[in-house]
Amino acid sequence: GFKGEKGVQAVAIDHLIDKNIPATAANLREGIVCVEATDGYRASFSLSELVNRSDFKEPLVMSGGDEKGRQGFSLFCTGDMFADRAIKSVNRITLVKRAEELKGDLIVFHAGSLSMPFKAIADTFMMLNPKVKILAESSGSLDAARKVTELKRDCDIVASADYTVIDKLLIPEYGVENVKFATNEMALVFNEKSKYSKEIDTLNWLSVISKRDVSIGRSDPDSDPCGYRTLLTLELAKRYYENKKDLPEIIEKILTESKRNIRPKEVDLLALLDAGAVDYIFLYKSVAIQHDLKYLELPAKINLGNPLCNDYYSGAEVKVRGSKPGETITIKGEAMVYGITQIKNAPNKTVAEAFMKFVLDENGGRKILKRMGQEPVGRPD
């Protein structure tokens, strides 16, 4: 039966939550408030029944009281007939508001070797967020960073084939955080039209590509990590095959002969190979897999793909152009790790943050990268 009314001093809950979850039309339709007690008991409310009541009986929040169990905060639902949603000892109030709809353009500068994976990632992201348009631009990683630092172009995300490019050129002035997200390794790539393609192996590859009738392609070390990684690979080959007396001359010949077939980024070399203008190109293994090309796996101490060999890799170094004309950067040998960063003054920060999370998601970008020949690294979100 009726046991009378109890008077309490309390505050209407709508005064406490209004700043965090405003009573907009969308939030009133979809907002949820969950109130939890220290013993785990919880009650859920729609935002509308808390702040948009026609009977003006908003739930009340009281602090303290002389009743047992009310030493902390308590919730009173004065408009409810039953006491199921009256909670003693409130531990936490969780507010769930309507998710902000992602929309607008997202500008992404990325390494050439990420062209196919990032197209797949972008297509999937846009399918999930139909009001977003991703404007992706491929280039060498160094050039991608310089578009931000030198050309001052608008950009939301930069993804580099070498995480150290982001550290050296973008952090801390331009980039928010450098996140390592994928790996790769160097390979010697060719096709069925390449001279001596049926004879080449891990023992004779240097002799084959240094033959007079063989042409080689490589990317520009001042624009593209694949370019300076090619130089590091050949430098490491000198150490690895140190018993071969004429090796320095062979490698110098390879570098000299390949100068006429240097391109700004590694994927530009694919057209040369397809046209038969070159027989072999130094390229990432993932790109060969993505384009269904033949490739020769190089020894682990040469291919820059094994983190356990970093001490050995660090014995080789090259110099490339820095962020400003006249400056140089020294690149030491290191296992390949790709990096991605959100630009601090990103024009579309909300979508940039969501895209970063998607790239690092175990069922999103990481899954796509693995399918396309690149092992993901770093934190899964």
Side-chain angles (χ1 to χ4, degrees), residues 117-118 121 179-182 356-381:
F118 263 46
I121 290 171
V179 182
K180 300 173 183 177
F181 74 100
M356 286 283 289
K357 288 181 180 178
F358 184 74
V359 170
L360 302 173
D361 190 281
E362 198 66 47
N363 293 310
R366 291 166 67 86
K367 187 175 182 178
I368 292 170
L369 284 164
K370 194 166 187 176
R371 190 176 74 233
M372 294 193 159
Q374 289 189 260
E375 283 297 316
V377 297
R379 62 170 191 257
D381 283 3

Side-chain angles (χ1 to χ4, degrees), residues 66-325:
D66 54 8
E67 188 179 338
K68 185 178 179 181
R70 296 201 188 278
Q71 291 80 8
F73 291 94
S74 300
L75 180 75
F76 293 92
C77 297
T78 58
D80 283 9
M81 182 177 292
F82 302 102
D84 295 12
R85 298 196 294 181
I87 298 178
K88 296 179 182 179
S89 188
V90 173
N91 178 51
R92 178 169 58 185
I93 297 177
T94 303
L95 311 175
V96 182
K97 62 181 179 180
R98 182 177 184 269
E100 184 178 352
E101 187 176 30
L102 299 179
K103 58 185 178 180
D105 293 344
L106 183 76
I107 305 168
V108 181
F109 297 156
H110 63 74
S113 59
L114 289 171
S115 294
M116 289 186 70
F118 263 46
K119 184 181 186 308
I121 290 171
D123 287 348
T124 306
F125 187 82
M126 287 189 289
M127 184 178 65
L128 296 172
N129 303 281
K131 291 190 177 180
V132 172
K133 183 178 181 182
I134 295 179
L135 307 174
E137 192 171 302
S138 168
S139 68
S141 296
L142 288 162
D143 282 346
R146 290 178 188 132
K147 289 172 188 175
V148 176
T149 61
E150 295 181 20
L151 302 181
K152 307 299 181 185
R153 289 181 56 188
D154 284 343
C155 178
D156 296 290
I157 301 286
V158 172
S160 169
D162 185 350
Y163 80 95
T164 65
V165 169
I166 293 174
D167 279 342
K168 292 178 191 304
L169 301 184
L170 296 175
I171 301 288
E173 186 176 354
Y174 300 96
V176 174
E177 179 188 8
N178 190 2
V179 182
K180 300 173 183 177
F181 74 100
T183 62
N184 219 326
E185 66 182 64
M186 291 299 297
L188 191 63
V189 179
F190 54 97
N191 60 24
E192 63 283 347
K193 295 183 289 186
S194 301
K195 297 182 180 72
Y196 311 106
S197 61
K198 290 182 173 56
E199 302 170 26
I200 195 165
D201 58 33
T202 54
L203 297 176
N204 67 11
W205 65 277
L206 281 167
S207 298
V208 168
I209 66 174
S210 62
K211 290 178 179 291
R212 278 188 180 179
D213 57 342
V214 171
S215 56
I216 313 141
R218 57 188 172 98
S219 60
D220 184 356
D222 285 326
S223 301
D224 184 34
C226 190
Y228 59 69
R229 282 170 172 157
T230 297
L231 302 183
L232 289 168
T233 294
L234 292 171
E235 193 64 30
L236 289 167
K238 290 180 185 177
R239 297 178 60 196
Y240 187 74
Y241 302 107
E242 59 185 354
N243 294 329
K244 192 173 176 60
K245 293 182 180 179
D246 58 346
L247 190 59
E249 290 78 12
I250 288 175
I251 289 177
E252 187 58 39
K253 182 181 178 183
I254 292 169
L255 291 172
T256 302
E257 291 297 319
S258 60
K259 278 183 180 178
R260 60 185 171 182
N261 294 316
I262 290 179
R263 294 296 183 270
K265 57 184 185 292
E266 74 285 338
V267 291
D268 294 338
L269 299 167
L270 296 174
L272 294 180
L273 182 65
D274 186 57
V278 296
D279 297 295
Y280 297 90
I281 53 179
F282 286 95
L283 196 63
Y284 295 135
K285 179 179 173 181
S286 68
V287 179
I289 291 171
Q290 291 157 19
H291 291 269
D292 198 26
L293 293 169
K294 297 178 183 295
Y295 63 91
L296 180 71
E297 288 197 4
L298 302 175
K301 285 192 172 182
I302 293 176
N303 68 17
L304 300 171
N306 188 346
L308 297 177
C309 297
N310 269 340
D311 286 344
Y312 188 85
Y313 295 154
S314 65
E317 64 178 43
V318 296
K319 289 186 183 297
V320 299
R321 186 170 76 84
S323 59
K324 297 177 182 177

